[in-house]
Amino acid sequence: MHSSSCCCCCSSFLLFLLPLLLALVWSTGRFSGISGNCRLSAGVGFGSMKPVIVVHGGAGRIFKDREEGARSGVTRAALKGYSILKQGGNALDAVEEAVTSMEDDPHFNAGCGSVLNEKGEVEMDAIIMDGKNLASGAVSAVKCIANPIKLARLVMEKTEHMLLTDHGANLFAKAMGVPEIPGEKLITQRSRERWNKNLEPDSNPQEFKKDPGTVGAVAIDNEGNVACATSTGGLANKLVGRVGDSACIGSGGYADNHVGAISTTGHGESMMKVVLARLILYHMEQGMSPVEAADTALNYMKTRVGGLGGVIVVSNSGDWAARFSTKQMSWATVKDDQLQYGIYTGEIHTSSVAEALESK
Amino acid sequence: MSTKPVLVVHGGAWAIPDEFAERSILGVKNAVKSGFAVLEMGGSSMKAVEIAVRALEDDTVFDAGHGAVLNADGYVELDAIIMNGKTLAAGAVSCIRNISNPVTFACSVLKKTPYVMLTGTGANQFAEKLGIPQVPVEELVTDHAKAEWEQYRKYKQTVKSLFNTELVHDTVGAVAIDCEGNMACATSTGGITNKMVGRVGDTPVIGSGGYADNLVGAVSATGHGESIMKVTLARLILFHMEQDLHTTRSSMCGSLHYCAEVGEQPSLRHQLLPSLPDPVEAFLQVKLQRKLQILLFTIWRRESMDGEEL
């Protein structure tokens, strides 16, 4: 009798445990992106993930008179992206909105405010990627449009391709009804002055590398989907047709729901040589935190190929990082209704979203 | 200690029709002989892969250089990449026109500019500056490429369905290790028939169409470009190899499985062809049951039991 009542207790206990066990198996049964042969693409949260957005306005040398504009620009972009996430919007929309904001902001080297190529024209690269299904769209050497990131998204959603370049990208923009704008509209006095300065005989091309390049954003939404977006005018006085990391999947950005999302900035050629975005995610797959992964990869890039840069990272559990090996990188993040931002190493300003919106 | 040089080439992963099979085999054999002659004389892996891929570009049976497929406008737009595993320097060109040997031009980008990638009109202007001869497009276009283009324009096939037929060409590439143990890769393509003007696939995108790193190995990829890009296939394979040099085959299988899944392929049948006798390269041919074929060649360095390089 005693043993039979024990059996009843045991089976009740097991029945109680079973759903817990099943939940445990489900949550740990996600194969890593590298070795698995089963791809679970849904985010982990089913509406329960706290959304996070991180943006950057470029790593490099930010002149003193541009600092306030940079801080202001990245915070505005982060807040815009966050408002989409807060209302239940998806990560892809959030990163697109954040990057569009910075493309429209003449303080940044993307869209309006882009640096000029050697001929004095604006040629832009951009990429957007959806961590849910690894879909991506990118454009390189595109001219005369205000928002390359929007065009990149159209490439992803309206074509069967992932990268369109040059004249073909512009043809596609026309076919999509994207307004063509005169190239001069994207050129600021600042970018024109720098272009002229760089043409002087005593200018040092190595110095061009130090100018901040590129804007970007990464986000995770409340369903646990991650996305990244990166956009740039490239290198000052670059050769016509030069394409940097920003249009190259794995270098300028990468997003994978299994791990996280990255957007990079800095010396494009160095980032391409180490496929920086993908490298950081690889480290995270091996168990490193976003900060460790970013620092390890940036250090590797510095020692192996002598390149400096910055990255923003969000993991699929909502951890984030903004790290850079240059002196400065403007960045901002919003998580838990709290805004943080900075430019120099160790500089972190914090305020609530409510306060920040009020002050704007 | 000197390394035994190795060169592996591919002429593209696709359903090669019978009438092309013999020419394709001859073509890759010819290319590997040309490239290996460089290595035998103590030449660099960079030179070897360039020479091998040039031979494939000049051979009209392959979709690269001469014999390249046509875009939606009936024009030839070419992509290529070359990478130096010692320094990680790379040169890539995308969407270039009227050039016979994009791989050589990619090499010029690597050697003569501080950049990794040039595209389109700007790339062509730079080629002109370097004195690279511009060839009329008719010289690059074969009757077969034209016929393919007409068929697909007529039926408005999509990218995915292209890989379901027998008529699609694909990319060429090579990987090598020279007697100093330096590695290199090169890949070159005309892309896919009836692609949108300005469409760039995996080939010139570093980490996707190719990657080389003396510390690990070199890869050249071919197949459905967009899927390869989604998983940054070349770099992915090397990540696997970094984890354990001795599980390269399983790493490649795993990577291809993953790529197939992302590319919406149901499953893989794969067969391992016998390894070449020495030193260690394996040639993995993967046939997918539906649509996508990826032929992947990699080489890697293997250390002997006591840590000496073979």
Side-chain angles (χ1 to χ4, degrees):
Chain A
M1 280 239 326
H2 178 73
S3 59
S4 67
S5 65
C6 274
C7 278
C8 281
C9 286
C10 282
S11 42
S12 309
F13 183 64
L14 282 171
L15 277 172
F16 170 72
L17 258 192
L18 193 59
L20 289 177
L21 282 171
L22 283 173
L24 188 66
V25 164
W26 177 84
S27 67
T28 56
R30 294 160 58 78
F31 293 102
S32 81
I34 279 206
S35 57
N37 54 12
C38 162
R39 181 174 171 76
L40 296 176
S41 58
V44 75
F46 293 115
S48 66
M49 172 66 69
K50 273 196 181 147
V52 181
I53 186 161
V54 195
V55 313
H56 71 77
R61 179 181 50 191
I62 304 172
F63 292 100
K64 269 262 178 276
D65 61 330
R66 307 274 281 174
E67 279 181 17
E68 268 321 298
R71 285 191 191 95
S72 174
V74 292
T75 51
R76 188 179 316 116
L79 290 167
K80 278 192 171 173
Y82 190 70
S83 73
I84 288 179
L85 295 171
K86 191 83 176 157
Q87 291 164 47
N90 64 53
L92 214 49
D93 288 340
V95 298
E96 185 191 338
E97 178 68 17
V99 167
T100 299
S101 165
M102 290 184 284
E103 284 173 337
D104 293 340
D105 186 334
H107 283 99
F108 301 111
N109 176 14
C112 175
S114 285
V115 297
L116 309 186
N117 70 15
E118 63 171 6
K119 283 213 169 126
E121 304 159 324
V122 166
E123 274 183 312
M124 302 169 285
D125 307 331
I127 192 168
I128 192 164
M129 187 166 181
D130 184 352
K132 196 164 158 182
N133 51 17
L134 305 189
S136 174
V139 290
S140 67
V142 71
K143 295 179 176 177
C144 301
I145 58 168
N147 298 108
I149 198 65
K150 289 191 179 301
L151 187 62
R153 180 128 187 219
L154 287 170
V155 171
M156 180 173 81
E157 292 178 343
K158 305 284 184 189
T159 78
E160 303 211 329
H161 303 316
M162 278 171 58
L163 172 56
L164 292 182
T165 188
D166 196 40
H167 178 59
N170 274 100
L171 280 178
F172 174 63
K174 200 169 176 181
M176 290 289 108
V178 172
E180 185 176 329
I181 60 175
E184 296 76 47
K185 284 240 146 122
L186 299 170
I187 299 178
T188 58
Q189 188 183 345
R190 183 79 177 212
S191 55
R192 177 75 70 192
E193 279 168 8
R194 287 216 63 75
W195 178 74
N196 273 314
K197 192 155 193 263
N198 291 338
L199 289 176
E200 286 163 14
D202 60 351
S203 71
N204 178 5
Q206 289 300 312
E207 289 293 297
F208 306 174
K209 288 200 280 191
K210 293 185 189 164
D211 290 334
T214 313
V215 302
V218 293
I220 184 165
D221 59 34
N222 62 10
E223 291 193 359
N225 295 315
V226 300
C228 73
T230 310
S231 178
T232 189
L235 266 184
N237 295 63
K238 62 186 176 178
L239 203 61
V240 177
R242 176 269 186 182
V243 179
D245 62 292
S246 298
C248 294
I249 189 169
S251 295
Y254 198 80
D256 182 352
N257 270 16
H258 284 186
V259 199
I262 312 279
S263 170
T264 65
T265 167
H267 183 233
E269 278 72 16
S270 299
M271 294 189 284
M272 291 161 93
K273 287 175 187 180
V274 304
V275 194
L276 185 65
R278 191 60 188 91
L279 179 61
I280 292 170
L281 287 179
Y282 168 66
H283 287 314
M284 287 165 67
E285 279 169 305
Q286 302 303 299
M288 286 191 193
S289 70
V291 168
E292 286 168 335
D295 286 351
T296 303
L298 285 169
N299 191 52
Y300 173 69
M301 187 168 85
K302 192 174 175 181
T303 51
R304 185 84 196 257
V305 298
L308 301 177
V311 298
I312 52 173
V313 184
V314 69
S315 75
N316 68 352
S317 55
D319 293 327
W320 64 271
R323 309 292 290 173
F324 43 103
S325 49
T326 48
K327 261 200 181 141
Q328 296 150 301
M329 180 179 83
S330 55
W331 62 272
T333 182
V334 186
K335 181 179 177 178
D336 282 330
D337 291 323
Q338 194 175 70
L339 167 74
Q340 290 186 296
Y341 60 96
I343 285 188
Y344 292 91
T345 309
E347 174 195 353
I348 304 182
H349 305 279
T350 307
S351 77
S352 72
V353 166
E355 279 168 8
L357 288 172
E358 214 171 303
S359 66
K360 290 198 183 295
Chain B
M1 172 180 298
S2 84
T3 309
K4 255 196 181 164
V6 181
L7 173 67
V8 194
V9 311
H10 71 78
W14 58 298
I16 304 172
D18 291 338
E19 68 259 32
F20 284 165
E22 202 178 315
R23 280 178 61 199
S24 300
I25 298 282
L26 278 171
V28 289
K29 274 185 173 171
N30 179 46
V32 86
K33 280 183 201 161
S34 311
F36 199 71
V38 171
L39 295 175
E40 269 182 323
M41 287 164 36
S44 70
S45 51
M46 283 281 290
K47 198 66 195 170
V49 299
E50 186 200 341
I51 295 293
V53 169
R54 276 183 73 99
L56 296 164
E57 285 171 340
D58 292 341
D59 189 333
T60 57
V61 81
F62 302 111
D63 172 23
H66 296 255
V69 299
L70 308 183
N71 71 9
D73 276 1
Y75 222 87
V76 169
E77 288 177 340
L78 306 165
D79 307 331
I81 193 169
I82 189 164
M83 186 166 182
N84 180 334
K86 185 175 174 181
T87 58
L88 303 189
V93 290
S94 67
C95 201
I96 56 167
R97 297 183 167 201
N98 304 97
I99 285 177
S100 288
N101 296 106
V103 72
T104 298
F105 183 28
C107 205
S108 300
V109 172
L110 192 164
K111 291 180 176 167
K112 302 192 174 165
T113 78
Y115 309 123
V116 167
M117 190 169 180
L118 292 183
T119 190
T121 326
N124 269 100
Q125 286 168 357
F126 182 62
E128 219 173 303
K129 213 168 161 185
L130 290 181
I132 294 176
Q134 307 276 301
V135 303
V137 66
E138 295 74 36
E139 256 190 53
L140 301 171
V141 177
T142 59
D143 291 337
H144 186 267
K146 231 186 281 177
E148 214 174 82
W149 178 73
E150 268 155 24
Q151 172 172 346
Y152 285 101
R153 277 181 68 75
K154 199 171 165 191
Y155 296 107
K156 291 188 176 25
Q157 294 289 342
T158 64
V159 163
K160 284 184 185 160
S161 64
L162 284 177
F163 284 81
N164 211 13
T165 75
E166 301 272 307
L167 287 176
V168 180
H169 285 196
D170 211 348
T171 305
V172 301
V175 291
I177 183 168
D178 61 33
C179 61
E180 293 188 3
N182 292 320
M183 300 198 164
C185 72
T187 313
S188 178
T189 190
I192 47 179
T193 296
N194 211 34
K195 61 184 178 176
M196 285 178 72
V197 175
R199 176 264 188 184
V200 178
D202 64 294
T203 295
V205 180
I206 190 169
S208 293
Y211 198 78
D213 182 352
N214 271 17
L215 300 177
V216 198
V219 179
S220 169
T222 164
H224 182 229
E226 281 73 9
S227 299
I228 293 172
M229 289 163 91
K230 285 180 185 182
V231 304
T232 59
L233 188 63
R235 191 61 187 96
L236 179 63
I237 287 168
L238 291 178
F239 281 140
H240 284 301
M241 287 165 66
E242 277 172 286
Q243 288 179 314
D244 185 343
L245 285 175
H246 297 281
T247 59
T248 301
R249 278 185 192 166
S250 57
S251 302
M252 289 199 291
C253 288
S255 308
L256 291 167
H257 235 296
Y258 182 62
C259 181
E261 269 208 26
V262 166
E264 293 162 17
Q265 310 309 313
S267 66
L268 301 175
R269 263 183 298 125
H270 58 268
Q271 60 192 91
L272 294 174
L273 299 185
S275 310
L276 295 176
D278 201 41
V280 288
E281 68 289 347
F283 159 22
L284 180 72
Q285 183 177 33
V286 177
K287 278 200 173 159
L288 306 183
Q289 285 180 353
R290 195 169 58 159
K291 291 181 189 173
L292 179 61
Q293 293 183 344
I294 297 178
L295 200 63
L296 206 64
F297 293 74
T298 68
I299 60 166
W300 68 97
R301 306 172 78 173
R302 190 171 78 177
E303 293 178 340
S304 63
M305 295 292 283
D306 57 0
E308 280 182 18
E309 290 168 13
L310 290 176

